[in-house]
Amino acid sequence: MNFDKKTYENPIQKRVLAVNDLSCFGKCSLTVAFPIISAEDVEVVTLPTALLSTHTGGFEGYHVRVLTEDMRAILAHWRREGIKFDGLYTGYMCGTEQIDIALEIAADFLTDDRFILVDPVMGDGGRLYPAFTAEYARRMRELCAAADVITPNITEAAFLTDMTVDEIEIADGGIDICFERLFALGCRKAVITGVQTPEMRVKSQIGYVGAEQGSDARVVEVYPYVDAFLHGCGDVFASKLCACLTSGGEFLPSVSVAAQFTENSILRAVDVHPAHWYGLPFEAELYGES
Ligand code: PXL
């Protein structure tokens, strides 16, 4: 065995670069992506977009440091070292410059066997999060164009397609039009999360709808609506989807697996850890414990 030879190749595992914030307390972003993807025997490398004391949902007075310059310095080092990634998974980014950085990674740092999952984190409940601008939402379309898979929630899907949430959920064929427009951006596969059609509302349900470009096949995963203030559900779903796809899963079945994993974590939050509003207790799900 020759440990002297300095090589960064990993012929055994896939290597994914997770570009997301590091919220020290409150489970979301990197603190969710790292364990969930690692548990699938994938090498995870992190590029933090910001350092926060907590995430921004439900906390006040949090500390935040945006790391755009550090990201550039880290990439410059990796470029000199020739470090490459098989996958790129982007989430919460701070400003349009960080979208440029993600596009640069997509162009320069991926192997031929590349895979890109973009979770276009920017809003919920029909609105952009306070830190995000209309310009950011517009530029996010460019990043989605570079992606193989995107995982917008219904609000983000609306911002990406110039539709309203009602036009997607309520209007006849709205979901199909939304998928067409998402695919017109350039990505090949998409999952819209947090969907509530009128029928689902009546039955108090919420779900995930996934589709691939050029196919009428849909995966629809529907669960009972949980009326609780839970954070990080989208991150748990996108991380598990990234884990499944990176380790060779087919798209539509992987959506089902990721949805069920998230649902199990939500139920655990509600039934076992009712104080867990700040993030999902997904840990016990990692190894299939009941
Ligand atoms: O879960 C999305 C997310 C990620 N990162 C930070 C957030 C949020 C949602 O509020 O605040 C810092």
Side-chain angles (χ1 to χ4, degrees):
M1 182 95 42
N2 179 4
F3 284 116
D4 295 335
K5 188 165 180 289
K6 196 169 165 193
T7 170
Y8 301 111
E9 281 167 24
N10 182 348
I12 306 297
Q13 295 166 303
K14 294 282 184 191
R15 178 185 294 143
V16 168
L17 175 60
V19 180
N20 217 329
D21 69 86
L22 178 55
S23 288
C24 299
F25 182 86
K27 283 177 283 184
C28 69
S29 312
L30 287 182
T31 62
V32 165
F34 207 136
I36 291 178
I37 302 172
S38 296
E40 214 75 32
D41 195 18
V42 170
E43 179 185 345
V44 183
V45 178
T46 57
L47 184 59
T49 57
L51 177 66
L52 295 94
S53 52
T54 64
H55 61 65
T56 66
F59 292 99
E60 278 169 23
Y62 48 82
H63 167 79
V64 54
R65 183 188 295 272
V66 173
L67 296 174
T68 311
E69 285 319 305
D70 300 87
M71 291 170 78
R72 289 194 197 289
I74 290 165
L75 283 182
H77 183 208
W78 289 347
R79 196 187 286 279
R80 290 195 302 275
E81 294 292 309
I83 295 173
K84 298 270 182 188
F85 307 95
D86 304 303
L88 169 64
Y89 163 32
T90 70
Y92 187 99
M93 291 185 294
C94 303
T96 55
E97 272 184 66
Q98 293 194 357
I99 293 182
D100 291 332
I101 290 176
L103 287 166
E104 185 186 324
I105 295 167
D108 295 350
F109 284 87
L110 301 186
T111 58
D112 294 340
D113 197 15
R114 46 177 270 154
F115 162 77
I116 303 178
L117 189 151
V118 170
D119 187 8
V121 177
M122 56 187 170
D124 208 354
R127 295 179 182 188
L128 292 177
Y129 295 130
F132 293 85
T133 62
E135 169 66 0
Y136 181 89
R138 197 184 59 72
R139 293 289 321 281
M140 180 51 79
R141 297 178 188 198
E142 278 175 51
L143 189 55
C144 289
D148 298 289
V149 180
I150 63 172
T151 55
N153 64 30
I154 187 81
T155 298
E156 291 153 353
F159 275 98
L160 290 171
T161 57
D162 286 328
M163 297 174 80
T164 63
V165 169
D166 282 355
E167 280 169 343
I168 302 172
E169 287 183 332
I170 298 175
D172 224 12
I175 286 260
D176 295 329
I177 295 168
C178 184
F179 276 121
E180 266 170 38
R181 292 191 187 181
L182 291 175
F183 296 141
L185 296 177
C187 58
R188 295 187 293 116
K189 299 166 188 171
V191 189
I192 307 175
T193 67
V195 176
Q196 278 197 302
T197 60
E199 196 193 341
M200 286 155 83
R201 265 168 224 248
V202 169
K203 295 183 180 165
S204 193
Q205 294 172 327
I206 191 159
Y208 303 75
V209 186
E212 293 179 78
Q213 190 173 29
S215 161
D216 291 335
R218 298 274 186 271
V219 58
V220 181
E221 294 292 337
V222 176
Y223 296 101
Y225 177 72
V226 173
D227 190 13
F229 197 54
L230 294 171
H231 286 279
C233 303
D235 295 335
V236 169
F237 173 77
S239 298
K240 185 66 181 177
L241 184 64
C242 181
C244 293
L245 294 175
T246 310
S247 44
E250 294 291 323
F251 175 65
L252 296 181
S254 297
V255 172
S256 303
V257 169
Q260 190 61 54
F261 181 88
T262 310
E263 175 65 8
N264 292 349
S265 306
I266 289 172
L267 291 180
R268 196 175 280 280
V270 173
D271 297 339
V272 189
H273 296 269
H276 231 95
W277 62 271
Y278 55 85
L280 296 187
F282 60 84
E283 295 86 348
E285 298 299 326
L286 288 178
Y287 303 104
E289 284 176 37
S290 58

